[in-house]
Amino acid sequence: AQSVTQPDIHITVSEGASLELRCNYSYGATPYLFWYVQSPGQGLQLLLKYFSGDTLVQGIKGFEAEFKRSQSSFNLRKPSVHWSDAAEYFCAVGAMYTGNQFYFGTGTSLTVIP
Amino acid sequence: KAGVTQTPRYLIKTRGQQVTLSCSPISGHRSVSWYQQTPGQGLQFLFEYFSETQRNKGNFPGRFSGRQFSNSRSEMNVSTLELGDSALYLCASSVRPGLAGEQFFGPGTRLTVL
């Protein structure tokens, strides 16, 4: 069965520090991978996506993610966190054979300390 | 270009009632997907519509239904409401259906069932 795991429910980092949010997936084939961010009271905003090609993808707001097939992971990184990055982050996966629907992880809540 | 709009933003209903939520996609987008977001279950796919046809459906009971109109606007209906239906319902639109198109999410409708 398909599954997405975000092991960290909550992460706290200091402003200016680096950030890595973990995402692991279970799929039978190479999935399509996404990271979304949700601010309080807002919908989801796409940060970046991976379909194929270069395994290191760049997104908006200075985020990047690396697809590692051997580890079934798609971790999100940012070298220097800003206070405005405080939000909920969701990893999502999908594949054509699942009927083109997304499966989301349970999310990681990020707190940024000044 | 206006984003995805969802109405109403907040809704309070009682058990046994039915509810209809509306989603207006971004102009030019013909695919609309619906998701349910709860603290316990996270984000779960409900269904996807394209050209007035349901393309894909998640694992929800038949009380959850939807439709899409010729102008791409979509509605979802939940009949015989249960307490567990309290959630944030998110609508997402894309130019193309499925994962090929980037999904843009609306702010959601917060449904509370008493």
Side-chain angles (χ1 to χ4, degrees):
Chain A
Q2 302 87 357
S3 68
V4 181
T5 303
Q6 292 182 247
D8 304 305
I9 297 173
H10 187 88
I11 284 183
T12 300
V13 299
S14 298
E15 191 167 16
S18 63
L19 172 71
E20 182 170 32
L21 303 182
R22 296 181 291 167
C23 173
N24 294 96
Y25 64 89
S26 174
Y27 262 78
T30 300
Y32 298 158
L33 297 157
F34 306 80
W35 274 100
Y36 284 87
V37 61
Q38 185 178 34
S39 298
Q42 302 293 317
L44 299 173
Q45 182 183 21
L46 179 68
L47 287 175
L48 46 77
K49 59 188 176 187
Y50 172 78
F51 286 173
S52 64
D54 192 349
T55 56
L56 183 64
V57 293
Q58 302 297 320
I60 63 171
K61 305 185 179 185
F63 286 93
E64 66 176 27
E66 185 172 12
F67 169 58
K68 292 185 177 180
R69 183 192 303 273
S70 62
Q71 299 177 19
S72 296
S73 69
F74 189 58
N75 294 347
L76 181 71
R77 301 194 294 249
K78 186 169 185 178
S80 178
V81 171
H82 188 262
W83 63 266
S84 61
D85 293 324
E88 189 90 16
Y89 291 80
F90 293 92
C91 178
V93 297
M96 296 298 290
Y97 71 83
T98 63
N100 291 348
Q101 67 187 66
F102 278 28
Y103 292 90
F104 282 88
T106 51
T108 297
S109 177
L110 174 65
T111 298
V112 180
I113 298 174
Chain B
K1 186 184 276 191
V4 178
T5 57
Q6 293 187 243
T7 56
R9 290 292 309 277
Y10 301 91
L11 206 50
I12 299 176
K13 292 286 188 179
T14 56
R15 280 181 299 174
Q17 287 187 309
Q18 76 165 18
V19 66
T20 298
L21 311 181
S22 180
C23 171
S24 293
I26 292 171
S27 178
H29 286 197
R30 297 172 59 199
S31 174
V32 173
S33 298
W34 288 90
Y35 294 83
Q36 181 196 63
Q37 185 177 22
T38 60
Q41 299 296 319
L43 279 150
Q44 293 184 287
F45 173 80
L46 281 158
F47 24 64
E48 178 185 25
Y49 286 88
F50 177 70
S51 294
E52 302 177 64
T53 301
Q54 187 180 89
R55 282 176 43 91
N56 199 8
K57 190 177 190 304
N59 188 26
F60 278 82
R63 300 185 297 107
F64 291 81
S65 63
R67 60 178 177 171
Q68 187 181 33
F69 301 94
S70 58
N71 61 358
S72 296
R73 189 178 69 86
S74 177
E75 289 181 347
M76 68 162 282
N77 183 275
V78 187
S79 63
T80 319
L81 284 166
E82 301 177 359
L83 295 179
D85 297 333
S86 294
L88 180 66
Y89 290 88
L90 293 167
C91 165
S93 76
S94 62
V95 173
R96 299 185 299 278
L99 297 175
E102 175 182 321
Q103 295 192 93
F104 293 84
F105 283 81
T109 293
R110 173 75 62 184
L111 171 65
T112 301
V113 182
L114 302 176

